Amino acid sequence: MPDEFRAPVPDSERDLMTDYELGENRYGKSRIRLVTVRRGATQHDLRDLTVAVALEGDFDAVHTAGANAGVIATDTMKNTVYAFARDRLTGSPDAFGLELARHFVGYDVCSRAIVDISEQPWLRIPTESGPAPDAFSRAGHLTRVAHVEVDRAGSVRVEAGVDDLTLMKTTKSAFVGFDRDQYTTLPEAEDRLMATKLRATWAYAGDRVLGGDIDFDATWETARAALQNAFAAHFSPSVQASIWIMATAMMDAEPSIDRVRMVLPNLHHWLVDLSKFGLDNPGEVFVSTTEPHGLIDATVHRRRPG
Amino acid sequence: MPDEFRAPVPDSERDLMTDYELGENRYGKSRIRLVTVRRGATQHDLRDLTVAVALEGDFDAVHTAGANAGVIATDTMKNTVYAFARDRLTGSPDAFGLELARHFVGYDVCSRAIVDISEQPWLRIPTESGPAPDAFSRAGHLTRVAHVEVDRAGSVRVEAGVDDLTLMKTTKSAFVGFDRDQYTTLPEAEDRLMATKLRATWAYAGDRVLGGDIDFDATWETARAALQNAFAAHFSPSVQASIWIMATAMMDAEPSIDRVRMVLPNLHHWLVDLSKFGLDNPGEVFVSTTEPHGLIDATVHRRRPG
Amino acid sequence: MPDEFRAPVPDSERDLMTDYELGENRYGKSRIRLVTVRRGATQHDLRDLTVAVALEGDFDAVHTAGANAGVIATDTMKNTVYAFARDRLTGSPDAFGLELARHFVGYDVCSRAIVDISEQPWLRIPTESGPAPDAFSRAGHLTRVAHVEVDRAGSVRVEAGVDDLTLMKTTKSAFVGFDRDQYTTLPEAEDRLMATKLRATWAYAGDRVLGGDIDFDATWETARAALQNAFAAHFSPSVQASIWIMATAMMDAEPSIDRVRMVLPNLHHWLVDLSKFGLDNPGEVFVSTTEPHGLIDATVHRRRPG
Amino acid sequence: MPDEFRAPVPDSERDLMTDYELGENRYGKSRIRLVTVRRGATQHDLRDLTVAVALEGDFDAVHTAGANAGVIATDTMKNTVYAFARDRLTGSPDAFGLELARHFVGYDVCSRAIVDISEQPWLRIPTESGPAPDAFSRAGHLTRVAHVEVDRAGSVRVEAGVDDLTLMKTTKSAFVGFDRDQYTTLPEAEDRLMATKLRATWAYAGDRVLGGDIDFDATWETARAALQNAFAAHFSPSVQASIWIMATAMMDAEPSIDRVRMVLPNLHHWLVDLSKFGLDNPGEVFVSTTEPHGLIDATVHRRRPG
């Protein structure tokens, strides 16, 4: 390496540590793409996960002194995910996340391990002789997500959810009675389209997770079904109220869920004015838009003892 | 407008037309986002289309002389799509495309009208009391496409298809016997994963389209089902052979189809070497990748009289 | 609306409020796309912003009772952004965000207003007679961001930053001395490529913001230049250390900055093994990848009085 | 492999070849991500390319009989690109594409080789001591593209271009005098914003390419500069006319260019009606949109001998 390229000599007169300090930090590996095929006697089972691992801990010297002792390389994290997938990815992504997080928090320097998993569901292709044992079509209607945190003391946090679930109600949605001022032009709507591409995540009660008695696949399915049922059934006076209605329905349906967070864009569909062309438009022809959009973010939880 | 901003005086000494001429050209409106809700007595029907219109014709003076006489504004095309959607979008996207293309080719300057439509399928949300009459979830597994061309003389071309259909075979796929030279390192594979996100389009016989006897929704469904069935059933010696097998199965199933084109990325899934960690990996743990990818593009058509 | 479509009668026997309560929540409008052109005597000035507004406040009844009194429609927020853009977008996006946030927090129900702005920089097109007064090319090398929060009591928080800034060092980056265990296969690297697409945000000292003496365009430029200079100059023993070095350089350069957060993917470039083809590869030919990637997230702040 | 998974026995009574035949086809490798670093004595030089290779030839038996003899694996193509990058990527992407295409067309089965290259430009980071010798920032304002075809007989086709170049004119753009019918609502505009994200490609005269006397980097720069200059300088009566003006300016500037194709979306910017808020809006505040958009596609070529 020619001299021109060498690093500048650090300013030895000056210790940055007297002026600055390290705040919150974490590091890890993201977008670990993992597909597993379990080759059973009569059919194959497929799982398609994207895993991210992040660690928190005592990494001050790594940042401030360039000292890498104790650093687990993110490449090692990736290797661990693939190695663990061999034998320990036997059930839900949530359970796999717990296995991984408990492993990583075992490293000396690590105070907390966080594992995020997205699952792309696949369906067996229907054939004349029934569902194919070995051929699949990506479902595409949603992404299943799991978020797991384990800290050194052993406390755990598991959140599950759905992302990119795109839903539409063609009636039973209104928006009236809102505030009007000099910047308000939106008319009241007694009957409007409501469309969204939602992310809903829910936290399981920590003691239930520690007790090991949650069937994460079953609870996920119960929560998802309750969400969609409530979406279809309810009358929506606002997106905010829809979140309350869906979130409470999910917790009614699944006792292990402690709280639900929803992030709900309101993807506006504007009724086209066809009168210029001599046509009416009784709620039939809409322009679908993605920007700008309303964005509602709310958490609903079980009432805590006052 | 201050003088500085004015257009430069055109160079009257010089006639660009002596040196250059206009070649192929078309113009139109893309990404016209259209959702229709048909409000029946017992349920609503939803269609979600993205429409693009393009026109070809005698537009020389528009380009070379800035003369806009005869130009149909692309904004007018958009208005027309919404106006036609009011009463004439009663069946398939293909039929709607034909209505639109026949309208646009009626303009004097227009020699050919091309309409491309993408449809996002939605499903009724299942509820305890059956499929919801008025609440929908986006299917997400594929996009339906239709491409329609009508020329001034009345000849038509209709192509239908699927896009973004993501499929995987976990066995019955091999790749052996290929050429080897000094740049070849790929081992032969007797049993590999095959994954793709495919675009398949098929053309209907022109006389059948003109005869008006094609039920575009039914033929689309027949072709799509044949494609997926063949994908699941066949043994694949190469992606190229898979295209041949699927395309011929589609034409076997649906006589109105004249030819099929497939563009098939080969989304490689690499078996992870776990031996470094003391583990075997008998076809169970894979890295899923998107780049680089193989890309195979082939058309298969009915044999033409020699 | 036929009876089938009506909302289910709410279960009057049951008061959801006894079981559940609303947690954290906010709502607003996102992706408000705004371009302004200031038409000066000799040239036009262009700004291209994407604005998001979010409000926090007492919105319990909106969620739990469908009561919209006090709700500011997100459409009203959008209108306000465009109206304010007419006269009050005269300087930096940060200052515009403060104007907007102070307006929104003035609503009775609102306890905190949050405004996020992304700016796409454009450059005057160079011409033979100098920079064009009225024609621009999008710079594309980064997005400038501003995040403003104002609460009812008048306290403010302003964070500025860059996003999507893609940088690469072709030497002066190493990674050695990290932990090795049974899952570690990564060799030590004395000289590697380092590439990232970074997001860096920095907070201004609250009293300086309230004092009104920050020139947000000038401080942004100082911080950005210090970041890029430090990136180019430093020797990187790890991505973590690079963050420390760049962040402290930014605070050294700009006294109004209180802390810096960086989110730095490590976009791996793998040296290709060309020995199979009889070729060496002395750090010249690389595969560029985006997944998986390392992801480092750290905040550095001025030392606080112990 | 259990029997259930085996391929169905092919229908030996039936020869698909009597009914169907293979039409146009090609195959290859896409998204080959390649970064090269040339380590000179005083500075490093960086190139960042994405390469796609496709071959045409006699591949009938590959498709119809699953016979892979003669097939060059797409993995081999990828290896070849990296191996050639070691010594033969010494100049422009266009020249590298020619090297690759000439290599691939040398395979017996191959009748035509097509190489597409996208280049992401990077800039040296400016530092206090001048441009960094070894640290770069991605330019982001455009993608450079090259398309090369070589056929067995030795004829070549080289097209170069720019993609994703986003431009805006804040005046000197009008759209008047267009056709009006019952679907037309667009008012005439004497002075409007014109914005686009363009793709422009140009073909070099084949004899000039064969003669080997084109400096592809220099001609690319000449063409790009002429395009931007013309964009800035001209008065636009329509997007179509803008294409004519820019394309002819490019061919005026660079004699080796034979024809220019432009695909120009018209990214509409709508003046916001602020009168509802008691404000005027003299061309200052706009909503920026991406859909729907106009889309103009035209080729201009040198006049051919009549």
Side-chain angles (χ1 to χ4, degrees):
Chain A
M1 194 163 54
D3 277 346
E4 295 92 329
F5 290 67
R6 294 204 177 278
V9 177
D11 180 356
S12 56
E13 309 302 311
R14 165 83 185 301
D15 182 357
L16 286 168
M17 296 300 291
T18 59
D19 291 336
Y20 302 111
E21 56 190 337
L22 184 66
E24 284 188 33
N25 64 91
R26 62 171 58 174
Y27 81 103
K29 195 73 144 195
S30 291
R31 300 285 311 165
I32 303 169
R33 294 284 296 112
L34 166 64
V35 163
T36 59
V37 180
R38 303 304 177 194
R39 298 175 182 271
T42 56
Q43 64 177 30
H44 292 172
D45 292 303
L46 178 65
R47 284 204 107 129
D48 176 356
L49 308 182
T50 303
V51 182
V53 176
L55 305 185
E56 296 177 359
D58 178 9
F59 298 115
D60 269 50
V62 182
H63 291 81
T64 65
N68 291 333
V71 168
I72 300 116
T74 65
D75 189 76
T76 300
M77 299 178 196
K78 180 200 69 181
N79 285 345
T80 306
V81 168
Y82 287 117
F84 273 46
R86 176 66 187 90
D87 293 323
R88 305 188 212 186
L89 175 45
T90 54
S92 66
D94 317 62
F96 184 55
L98 272 169
E99 288 257 15
L100 287 168
R102 282 172 170 147
H103 167 79
F104 287 117
V105 85
Y107 284 100
D108 279 351
V109 290
C110 185
S111 60
R112 179 188 305 272
I114 303 114
V115 177
D116 277 285
I117 300 180
S118 297
E119 179 172 27
Q120 288 297 342
W122 293 75
L123 302 171
R124 289 180 193 287
I125 293 176
T127 69
E128 285 150 25
S129 50
D134 56 0
F136 302 84
S137 172
R138 193 166 135 168
H141 63 308
L142 59 77
T143 303
R144 175 175 171 178
V145 297
H147 172 85
V148 175
E149 296 189 15
V150 176
D151 73 14
R152 192 137 198 92
S155 87
V156 299
R157 180 172 167 176
V158 177
E159 292 175 4
V162 296
D163 203 358
D164 297 328
L165 176 62
T166 305
L167 301 174
M168 195 186 299
K169 290 170 75 70
T170 52
T171 187
K172 293 192 301 204
S173 168
F175 189 51
V176 299
F178 50 86
D179 203 51
R180 304 197 77 87
D181 68 7
Q182 77 267 36
Y183 296 115
T184 306
T185 56
L186 186 75
E188 303 218 325
E190 295 282 352
D191 191 11
R192 63 173 185 174
L193 252 58
M194 175 174 157
T196 189
K197 185 175 182 178
L198 72 79
R199 179 178 176 91
T201 50
W202 50 90
Y204 295 111
D207 57 336
R208 298 289 301 274
V209 174
L210 285 173
D213 63 341
I214 296 182
D215 175 340
F216 292 111
D217 283 348
T219 53
W220 183 86
E221 181 50 31
T222 301
R224 188 209 56 77
L227 188 167
Q228 283 201 223
N229 261 311
F231 179 83
H234 84 296
F235 178 89
S236 170
S238 70
V239 177
Q240 283 92 328
S242 291
I243 291 179
W244 173 263
I245 291 165
M246 292 189 283
T248 54
M250 292 164 72
M251 288 187 278
D252 273 2
E254 180 47 58
S256 63
I257 298 179
D258 193 50
R259 66 180 181 280
V260 176
R261 181 183 179 188
M262 293 204 188
V263 182
L264 262 189
N266 189 354
L267 300 173
H268 308 297
H269 286 71
W270 304 115
L271 194 69
V272 184
D273 177 7
L274 298 176
S275 64
K276 298 167 284 188
F277 317 122
L279 298 165
D280 64 349
N281 187 3
E284 303 228 343
V285 180
F286 295 85
V287 184
S288 162
T289 69
T290 54
E291 61 178 31
H293 57 258
L295 186 62
I296 324 295
D297 179 348
T299 297
V300 181
H301 55 75
R302 294 190 188 275
R303 181 166 293 276
R304 285 153 191 167
Chain B
M1 195 163 53
D3 277 345
E4 295 91 330
F5 291 67
R6 293 202 178 281
V9 177
D11 180 357
S12 56
E13 309 302 311
R14 165 83 185 300
D15 183 357
L16 287 168
M17 297 298 291
T18 58
D19 291 336
Y20 303 111
E21 59 190 335
L22 185 66
E24 282 189 35
N25 65 91
R26 61 171 60 174
Y27 81 104
K29 195 72 145 195
S30 291
R31 301 287 309 164
I32 303 170
R33 296 284 295 111
L34 165 65
V35 163
T36 58
V37 180
R38 303 305 178 192
R39 299 175 181 270
T42 57
Q43 65 177 29
H44 293 173
D45 293 305
L46 178 65
R47 282 205 112 131
D48 177 357
L49 308 182
T50 303
V51 182
V53 176
L55 305 184
E56 294 176 0
D58 178 10
F59 297 115
D60 268 50
V62 182
H63 291 80
T64 63
N68 291 333
V71 169
I72 300 115
T74 65
D75 189 78
T76 299
M77 298 178 195
K78 178 198 70 177
N79 285 345
T80 307
V81 168
Y82 288 117
F84 273 46
R86 176 67 187 91
D87 292 323
R88 306 189 210 186
L89 175 45
T90 53
S92 67
D94 317 62
F96 185 54
L98 273 169
E99 288 258 12
L100 287 167
R102 282 171 170 148
H103 168 79
F104 286 117
V105 85
Y107 284 100
D108 278 351
V109 289
C110 185
S111 60
R112 178 187 307 271
I114 304 114
V115 177
D116 276 285
I117 300 180
S118 297
E119 178 171 30
Q120 288 297 339
W122 293 74
L123 302 171
R124 290 181 191 285
I125 293 176
T127 70
E128 288 151 24
S129 51
D134 56 358
F136 303 83
S137 173
R138 194 164 135 169
H141 62 309
L142 59 75
T143 303
R144 175 175 172 178
V145 297
H147 172 86
V148 175
E149 296 189 16
V150 176
D151 75 12
R152 191 138 199 93
S155 85
V156 299
R157 179 173 167 175
V158 178
E159 292 174 3
V162 297
D163 202 359
D164 297 327
L165 176 62
T166 306
L167 301 173
M168 195 186 301
K169 290 171 76 70
T170 53
T171 188
K172 291 191 303 203
S173 168
F175 189 51
V176 300
F178 50 86
D179 202 50
R180 304 196 77 85
D181 68 8
Q182 77 266 37
Y183 297 114
T184 306
T185 57
L186 187 75
E188 305 220 324
E190 295 284 353
D191 191 10
R192 61 172 187 174
L193 253 59
M194 175 176 158
T196 189
K197 184 175 183 179
L198 74 77
R199 180 178 177 92
T201 50
W202 50 90
Y204 296 110
D207 57 336
R208 298 289 300 274
V209 174
L210 284 172
D213 63 343
I214 297 182
D215 175 340
F216 292 110
D217 283 347
T219 53
W220 183 85
E221 181 50 31
T222 301
R224 186 207 58 77
L227 187 166
Q228 284 202 220
N229 261 311
F231 179 84
H234 83 295
F235 178 89
S236 170
S238 70
V239 176
Q240 284 91 330
S242 291
I243 292 179
W244 173 264
I245 291 165
M246 292 189 283
T248 54
M250 292 164 71
M251 288 188 278
D252 272 2
E254 180 48 58
S256 63
I257 297 179
D258 192 51
R259 68 180 179 280
V260 176
R261 180 183 180 189
M262 293 206 189
V263 182
L264 262 190
N266 189 355
L267 300 173
H268 309 297
H269 286 70
W270 305 114
L271 194 68
V272 184
D273 177 6
L274 298 176
S275 64
K276 299 167 285 188
F277 317 122
L279 298 166
D280 66 347
N281 187 4
E284 302 230 343
V285 180
F286 295 86
V287 184
S288 162
T289 69
T290 53
E291 62 180 29
H293 57 258
L295 187 61
I296 325 298
D297 178 350
T299 297
V300 181
H301 53 77
R302 293 186 189 278
R303 183 166 291 278
R304 284 153 191 166
Chain C
M1 193 166 51
D3 277 346
E4 295 91 331
F5 291 68
R6 293 202 179 280
V9 177
D11 179 354
S12 58
E13 308 302 312
R14 166 82 186 302
D15 183 356
L16 286 169
M17 296 299 291
T18 60
D19 291 336
Y20 303 111
E21 56 189 338
L22 184 66
E24 282 189 34
N25 65 91
R26 63 171 57 175
Y27 82 103
K29 195 72 142 197
S30 291
R31 301 287 310 166
I32 304 170
R33 296 285 296 111
L34 166 64
V35 163
T36 58
V37 180
R38 303 305 177 193
R39 300 177 181 269
T42 57
Q43 65 178 27
H44 292 172
D45 293 303
L46 178 65
R47 283 203 109 131
D48 176 356
L49 308 182
T50 303
V51 182
V53 176
L55 304 184
E56 295 178 358
D58 178 10
F59 298 115
D60 269 50
V62 182
H63 291 80
T64 64
N68 291 334
V71 169
I72 300 115
T74 64
D75 189 77
T76 300
M77 297 177 198
K78 180 199 69 180
N79 285 345
T80 307
V81 169
Y82 287 116
F84 273 46
R86 176 68 187 90
D87 292 324
R88 304 188 213 187
L89 175 45
T90 53
S92 66
D94 317 62
F96 184 54
L98 273 169
E99 287 256 13
L100 287 167
R102 283 173 169 146
H103 168 79
F104 286 117
V105 86
Y107 283 100
D108 279 351
V109 289
C110 185
S111 61
R112 179 187 305 271
I114 304 112
V115 177
D116 277 284
I117 300 181
S118 298
E119 178 171 27
Q120 288 297 341
W122 292 74
L123 301 171
R124 290 181 192 285
I125 294 176
T127 70
E128 286 150 26
S129 50
D134 56 0
F136 302 84
S137 173
R138 193 165 136 170
H141 63 310
L142 59 76
T143 303
R144 175 174 172 179
V145 298
H147 172 84
V148 176
E149 297 190 15
V150 176
D151 75 12
R152 191 137 199 93
S155 86
V156 299
R157 180 172 167 176
V158 177
E159 292 175 4
V162 296
D163 203 358
D164 298 326
L165 176 62
T166 305
L167 302 174
M168 193 184 303
K169 288 170 78 69
T170 53
T171 188
K172 291 191 303 201
S173 168
F175 189 50
V176 300
F178 49 87
D179 203 50
R180 304 196 77 87
D181 68 7
Q182 78 266 34
Y183 297 115
T184 306
T185 57
L186 186 73
E188 304 220 325
E190 296 283 353
D191 191 11
R192 62 174 186 173
L193 251 61
M194 176 176 159
T196 188
K197 185 176 182 178
L198 72 78
R199 179 177 177 92
T201 50
W202 51 88
Y204 296 111
D207 56 337
R208 298 288 302 273
V209 174
L210 285 172
D213 63 341
I214 297 182
D215 175 339
F216 292 111
D217 284 348
T219 54
W220 183 86
E221 182 51 31
T222 301
R224 187 208 58 75
L227 188 167
Q228 284 201 222
N229 261 310
F231 179 84
H234 84 296
F235 178 88
S236 171
S238 71
V239 177
Q240 284 91 329
S242 291
I243 292 179
W244 172 264
I245 291 164
M246 291 189 283
T248 53
M250 291 163 73
M251 289 187 277
D252 272 2
E254 180 47 59
S256 63
I257 299 180
D258 193 50
R259 65 180 182 281
V260 176
R261 180 184 180 188
M262 293 205 189
V263 183
L264 262 190
N266 189 355
L267 300 172
H268 309 297
H269 286 70
W270 305 116
L271 195 68
V272 184
D273 177 6
L274 299 177
S275 64
K276 299 169 283 189
F277 318 122
L279 297 167
D280 65 349
N281 188 2
E284 302 229 344
V285 179
F286 295 86
V287 183
S288 163
T289 69
T290 54
E291 65 181 26
H293 57 258
L295 187 62
I296 325 296
D297 179 349
T299 296
V300 181
H301 54 75
R302 294 187 188 275
R303 183 166 290 277
R304 283 153 193 168
Chain D
M1 193 164 51
D3 277 348
E4 294 92 328
F5 291 66
R6 293 204 178 278
V9 177
D11 181 355
S12 57
E13 310 302 312
R14 167 83 184 300
D15 182 357
L16 288 168
M17 296 300 291
T18 59
D19 291 337
Y20 303 111
E21 57 190 336
L22 184 67
E24 282 189 34
N25 65 90
R26 62 170 61 173
Y27 82 102
K29 196 71 142 197
S30 292
R31 301 288 309 166
I32 303 171
R33 296 284 295 110
L34 166 65
V35 163
T36 59
V37 180
R38 303 306 178 192
R39 299 175 182 271
T42 56
Q43 64 177 30
H44 293 172
D45 292 304
L46 178 65
R47 284 205 108 130
D48 176 356
L49 308 182
T50 302
V51 182
V53 176
L55 305 185
E56 296 178 358
D58 178 9
F59 298 114
D60 268 49
V62 183
H63 291 81
T64 65
N68 291 334
V71 168
I72 300 115
T74 65
D75 189 77
T76 300
M77 299 178 196
K78 178 198 70 178
N79 285 344
T80 307
V81 169
Y82 288 117
F84 273 45
R86 175 67 187 91
D87 293 323
R88 306 191 211 184
L89 175 45
T90 53
S92 68
D94 317 61
F96 184 54
L98 273 169
E99 288 258 13
L100 287 167
R102 282 171 171 149
H103 168 79
F104 287 116
V105 85
Y107 284 100
D108 277 352
V109 290
C110 185
S111 61
R112 178 187 306 270
I114 303 114
V115 177
D116 277 284
I117 300 181
S118 298
E119 177 172 28
Q120 288 296 342
W122 293 75
L123 302 171
R124 291 181 192 283
I125 293 177
T127 69
E128 287 151 22
S129 50
D134 56 0
F136 302 84
S137 172
R138 193 165 137 169
H141 62 307
L142 59 76
T143 303
R144 175 174 171 179
V145 298
H147 171 86
V148 175
E149 297 188 14
V150 176
D151 74 13
R152 192 138 198 92
S155 87
V156 299
R157 178 172 166 177
V158 177
E159 292 174 4
V162 297
D163 204 357
D164 298 327
L165 176 62
T166 305
L167 301 174
M168 194 185 303
K169 290 170 76 72
T170 53
T171 189
K172 292 191 300 203
S173 168
F175 189 51
V176 300
F178 50 86
D179 203 50
R180 305 196 76 87
D181 69 7
Q182 77 268 34
Y183 297 115
T184 305
T185 57
L186 186 75
E188 305 218 325
E190 295 283 353
D191 190 11
R192 63 173 185 173
L193 252 58
M194 175 175 160
T196 188
K197 184 176 183 178
L198 72 78
R199 179 177 177 90
T201 50
W202 50 89
Y204 296 110
D207 56 336
R208 298 290 300 272
V209 174
L210 285 173
D213 63 342
I214 297 183
D215 175 339
F216 292 112
D217 284 346
T219 53
W220 184 86
E221 182 50 31
T222 301
R224 187 208 57 76
L227 188 168
Q228 285 202 222
N229 262 311
F231 179 84
H234 84 296
F235 178 89
S236 170
S238 71
V239 176
Q240 284 91 329
S242 291
I243 292 178
W244 173 264
I245 291 165
M246 291 188 285
T248 53
M250 291 163 71
M251 289 187 279
D252 272 2
E254 180 47 60
S256 63
I257 299 179
D258 193 51
R259 66 180 181 282
V260 177
R261 180 184 180 190
M262 293 204 188
V263 182
L264 261 190
N266 189 355
L267 299 172
H268 308 297
H269 286 70
W270 304 115
L271 195 69
V272 184
D273 177 6
L274 298 176
S275 64
K276 298 167 284 189
F277 317 122
L279 298 166
D280 65 348
N281 187 3
E284 302 228 344
V285 180
F286 295 85
V287 184
S288 162
T289 69
T290 54
E291 63 179 27
H293 56 257
L295 187 61
I296 324 297
D297 179 350
T299 296
V300 181
H301 54 76
R302 293 187 190 276
R303 181 165 293 278
R304 284 152 192 168

